[in-house]
Each structure stands twice: as structure tokens, then as C-alpha cells.
Amino acid sequence: MKYLFCAFILLLPFGNLRAQSRSIDPSIKTSRVVMDNFMDQRFGMFIHWGPVTLRGTEIGWSRGNAVPTQEYDTLYKEFNPVLFNADAWVKTAKDAGMKYLTITAKHHDGFCLWPTKVSNYNIMNSPYKKDIVGELARACKKYDVKFCIYFTVLDWHDPDYPIHMSGSKADTNANMDKFVITMKKELQELVTSYHPYMLWFDGNWESPWKNEYAAGIYTFLKKLDPNVIINNRLGANDAHLKLTAEMIGDFATPEQKIGELNMNTPWETCMTICNQWAWKPNDKMKTLKECIQTLAKTAGGNGNLLFNVGPMPDGRMEARQVERLKEMGEWLKTYGESIYGTKGGPFKPNEIFAATRKGDKLYVHVFEKTANTLTLPVLPNVKVKQAYLLKGGKINYSQGAGGAITLQLPEQLPDSNDSVIVLELTTNAEIIPVVS
Ligand code: FHN
């Protein structure tokens, strides 16, 4: 019955698509239970990959710029990543301590990494001829990593989408309603074939995309899977940093920066481990300190981190990126309890420290030792029972009448990137109001 409904929706006369509401029925929104589970994951892998890696330029954006459009659109005929190994990629994510993985099934260049029946511009018509999306979905299930899909609502390759290159004028011969029907068919394939935990939409800022389309797609997707999580880049806007009641989507998506401390609406920062989203030879890679402190400050702000790698044209991830992620995983083996399943706050992360909390424990992430003591912002009515390094070792502290907690730091912090001090409280740390 569900699929009959979907067939009907897909075949709605074009005109009806624009007649749809610009908002969604609140009763179909992703549940709090599902969103709380998503936010407990804290750390995921983002993967930007496609035939453009043959040129080492940015996916989508280099089409018609660094790479002439005609050349870009025929790269798939050379794309043969014979060293692609989905198990290796997913194990890399797992070993990094990542709990979910998001692949660019279709980026702005329109190339599809799965055997879609909707267009020939897909992986099955490359020399490689294997279902990349399906392989990753299988491997994620095998290693208990949640499988997620990135999907662009703009498609500079599809003639029915009016914009054929960023910044170009809308093509009056295009047919946006027909394009949205195509999109629904592609999304139906992806959701019914691979059952993604989350859909990471993107490209919602160009003029042809309207909230009427977005509301229809959100409703359509929720008929297919009521629990699929959807980010805030399906709704038509580029206000990615925030999530208001009017916006379509389940979480905000700050990009290349750590989101603001927010205890009310879910958010996930997406960030590159290098500079470019897709693979670039000799791209500058973040230090381990930058990687770990980004994760800790994101969790300290009550957000998730979707950390991006760009695999090479032969299908391998760069060894140095794999090593960096492994180092993050090693840190998480000791400190994971201060990241996974925690809440952020109660104070804003800064360059010296951040805080996360779970039950009666307040985790103080110390990034730098600038003095022999560290005084935390006053936490009214909070009493400390004991303090110790998560890695082991008692921490002496004093607590003033007003609630100011001063920690005596050890001569040498156990971890130069982020040493975590646990404060066991007499009350539930998660209910402490945020202090500025
Ligand atoms: O244009 C894309 C870009 O290529 C990349 O996919 C990022 C990832 O969040 N999103 C868009 C830029 O905001």
C-alpha cells in the first residue's frame, strides 16, 4: 500500500507540486526519541567522492571552472576506482570512533553513485560498474555503523533543473516540476533500497528550489520511513546555522565552524579534515590537536561533528588521513565517555576548556594549561563530591561559597590535546542551567 501511495505521489500532475503547502504536518516530524539517539552518536564520517577526483578539484564547484563542463561531465567514463573497499572505509570510520557515515550519493554535478533507473549518469555506466552506495550500506550494517546519504536538491547536470552552473541565469526551457518528480524517484530508490538512518540534503540556496517542493519531499520521505532523520538543508534557504519552527528539517548544519552552544535545537557541524571536500593532492590536513579539540568543542556546544574525508580516484583513502582518524579513535578509547551520549555545557567552550556532562558527572576538557589552577564559571547550587583525571589521578579542588570551582592542575597534563577532568557532583549535571 505504501508503495502504491508513493507511485501516486510521484505521478501527481506537475501543477500540484507547487500547490502543496510550504510547511509540514508537525505530527510527521522526526520524534524526540530518534533525534536524541542521533545526538548521542556525536561523531560521524562525511565522504565526498566521485569522478571529479580524477582531476583533484572540488566536487561540483570545479565543473565549468577549473574543469571545463564537457570534460567534467565525461570523467565518469574514466572513473574506475578498482581499489575501492567499502569494508576498509567503514572500518576506518569505526576505528576513528565514528558512529555514522554519510556518502555523497549525488552531489551538485548530478553523478549518481548507485545504479539508479532514473538516469544513465551513474556508476553503472563507468568502467567500475558496481553499486558504491549499496556496498557502503552493506559494510555499515556489518560493522554496526549507521548508514547515511548526502543528496543535493540542486543538480547542475540535469537539463530539467534551471541552473546549469553556479551563478548562471535560469534556463527557461527547464522544467522544475519534472525535476522534482525525478528527485522523488531517486529518493524512493535510495530510501527503499538502502534504508539510510539520516538524509543529509544540500544545495537548497538556489532560486528554483521552493519550500513547496521541500515540504512535499519531507512528507513523501516520512511515508517511506517515519524515522529517517532529515537535516535543515531540504527547506529552501541558506540559513544553515539555525533551525526555527518554520524551517523544514530536523537539525541545523553549521559548516566549517563549530556551532554555538545550544541546548534546545539539535545541530551538527560538518568540517573537512583537509581544506577541500573532495580529494585534492597534497591538501593541508588538520593537526591531531585541531581534530580532537574540534570534536570536544562541538560536543561541548551540545552538537555532533560530521568530519569529512575525500577518498582518492583509485578508491583508497589517503594513508595520512586514515592515520589521523585512527589517532582520534585512540583518544576516544580513553575519553569516549566524555563525548558519546553526553550533553554539552553548562558553559560555552573556549580555547582553554570546554565541558560535557552525563548523569552526575561534569567532564571538563582542558585544552591548554595556562596556570597551575583552572577556575570554572560559577555554577550556582552545584556541589562537587570528588574530582579526578578520566585517565586516572586525583584532582584537588576548592569550591567557594558562591559556587566557583577552582581545580589544581597537575604539573603535566596527561594529554596535550585534551585532558579530561571528571567532577562528580551531588546532583544531576545535565539539568544545570547554561551559564554565560
Ligand atoms: O556546495 C556544497 C559543498 O560542495 C559541500 O558539499 C558542503 C558540505 O556541507 N555543502 C555545500 C556548501 O555549503
Side-chain angles (χ1 to χ4, degrees):
M1 191 56 190
K2 172 162 65 174
Y3 298 123
L4 275 178
F5 170 86
C6 297
F8 166 70
I9 280 280
L10 283 175
L11 300 174
L12 269 178
F14 296 161
N16 284 25
L17 290 175
R18 287 302 305 276
Q20 284 182 0
S21 157
R22 295 166 50 83
S23 59
I24 52 170
D25 172 356
S27 71
I28 67 168
K29 272 189 72 63
T30 307
S31 71
R32 177 65 188 263
V33 168
V34 170
M35 288 312 296
D36 284 350
N37 176 273
F38 173 56
M39 297 311 290
D40 282 347
Q41 312 298 317
R42 280 293 183 248
F43 191 29
M45 177 182 272
F46 212 172
I47 302 172
H48 280 65
W49 197 48
V52 68
T53 50
L54 289 162
R55 295 290 180 272
T57 55
E58 188 59 286
I59 191 166
W61 295 96
S62 60
R63 178 177 180 270
N65 291 301
V67 183
T69 302
Q70 170 65 26
E71 178 187 339
Y72 189 111
D73 291 352
T74 50
L75 287 173
Y76 75 101
K77 293 178 179 174
E78 305 166 42
F79 190 52
N80 192 16
V82 292
L83 298 181
F84 168 68
N85 179 322
D87 288 57
W89 285 18
V90 175
K91 268 191 66 44
T92 295
K94 186 99 177 170
D95 293 348
M98 294 163 154
K99 301 296 184 182
Y100 58 104
L101 179 149
T102 306
I103 177 70
T104 52
K106 182 174 128 174
H107 202 268
H108 310 332
D109 59 17
F111 188 73
C112 299
L113 290 181
W114 80 99
T116 177
K117 294 180 174 54
V118 175
S119 87
N120 295 326
Y121 196 44
N122 73 71
I123 192 72
M124 302 313 280
N125 295 311
S126 74
Y128 189 61
K129 298 188 191 314
K130 289 187 192 125
D131 178 1
I132 298 288
V133 174
E135 274 301 291
L136 284 169
R138 174 199 54 75
C140 281
K141 192 168 182 175
K142 178 177 173 183
Y143 291 103
D144 191 24
V145 172
K146 297 187 185 314
F147 179 66
C148 308
I149 287 174
Y150 168 111
F151 187 91
T152 179
V153 298
L154 70 78
D155 179 341
W156 293 324
H157 180 270
D158 188 321
D160 284 328
Y161 181 78
I163 309 282
H164 302 314
M165 202 179 133
S166 174
S168 67
K169 278 181 67 179
D171 175 354
T172 52
N173 296 319
N175 184 325
M176 196 57 195
D177 283 346
K178 188 161 171 270
F179 174 74
V180 173
I181 293 286
T182 298
M183 182 191 296
K184 285 189 170 185
K185 289 176 183 171
E186 291 169 335
L187 287 168
Q188 179 161 7
E189 288 177 346
L190 290 169
V191 173
T192 55
S193 307
Y194 309 115
H195 311 290
Y197 171 69
M198 178 260 279
L199 288 170
W200 212 97
F201 285 95
D202 204 8
N204 62 332
W205 52 80
E206 290 191 337
S207 58
W209 188 247
K210 306 296 179 197
N211 263 336
E212 290 86 338
Y213 296 133
I217 293 277
Y218 189 97
T219 305
F220 172 68
L221 290 168
K222 285 301 185 176
K223 296 277 183 211
L224 294 176
D225 177 358
N227 290 325
V228 66
I229 298 166
I230 295 167
N231 75 349
N232 72 342
R233 299 196 184 192
L234 175 59
N237 64 63
D238 55 5
H240 300 152
L241 296 182
K242 59 182 182 177
L243 183 71
T244 63
E246 299 67 44
M247 287 169 73
I248 294 168
D250 304 322
F251 64 92
T253 52
E255 178 174 320
Q256 298 290 32
K257 65 168 112 180
I258 297 167
E260 295 289 317
L261 172 57
N262 183 335
M263 302 305 298
N264 304 312
T265 47
W267 61 270
E268 172 201 70
T269 272
C270 57
M271 190 179 286
T272 50
I273 195 170
C274 290
N275 288 329
Q276 197 167 272
W277 291 100
W279 178 72
K280 176 181 177 183
N282 311 309
D283 199 0
K284 187 173 184 308
M285 184 171 75
K286 288 176 173 64
T287 63
L288 180 59
K289 184 185 288 281
E290 287 173 310
C291 294
I292 289 175
Q293 292 187 4
T294 295
L295 176 61
K297 290 173 185 171
T298 301
N302 203 38
N304 285 10
L305 175 63
L306 188 63
F307 209 37
N308 182 81
V309 292
M312 296 185 283
D314 66 7
R316 291 175 301 158
M317 289 182 181
E318 281 188 345
R320 61 172 184 149
Q321 294 186 29
V322 172
E323 181 54 28
R324 178 68 79 244
L325 290 174
K326 192 169 168 48
E327 291 170 324
M328 291 184 81
E330 284 307 309
W331 182 84
L332 281 162
K333 279 180 187 164
T334 302
Y335 295 104
E337 77 169 78
S338 70
I339 299 287
Y340 304 122
T342 63
K343 296 279 180 288
F347 30 78
K348 271 191 217 175
N350 57 56
E351 289 312 301
I352 309 298
F353 64 92
T356 54
R357 42 189 168 155
K358 186 167 24 182
D360 67 349
K361 290 180 179 168
L362 179 62
Y363 300 98
V364 181
H365 296 256
V366 185
F367 305 131
E368 300 293 338
K369 181 178 176 183
T370 54
N372 292 330
T373 60
L374 173 61
T375 299
L376 301 176
V378 172
L379 299 175
N381 309 316
V382 167
K383 290 274 175 288
V384 177
K385 283 192 309 192
Q386 61 172 335
Y388 51 89
L389 286 161
L390 188 48
K391 208 167 190 177
K394 187 175 181 311
I395 292 286
N396 293 320
Y397 65 93
S398 61
Q399 189 158 13
I405 300 167
T406 299
L407 306 173
Q408 302 293 326
L409 298 180
E411 192 60 35
Q412 188 73 30
L413 283 170
D415 190 295
S416 59
N417 300 313
D418 176 4
S419 298
V420 177
I421 294 174
V422 185
L423 303 184
E424 284 190 9
L425 309 182
T426 58
T427 51
N428 181 351
E430 294 180 33
I431 58 174
I432 302 170
V434 167
V435 296
S436 50

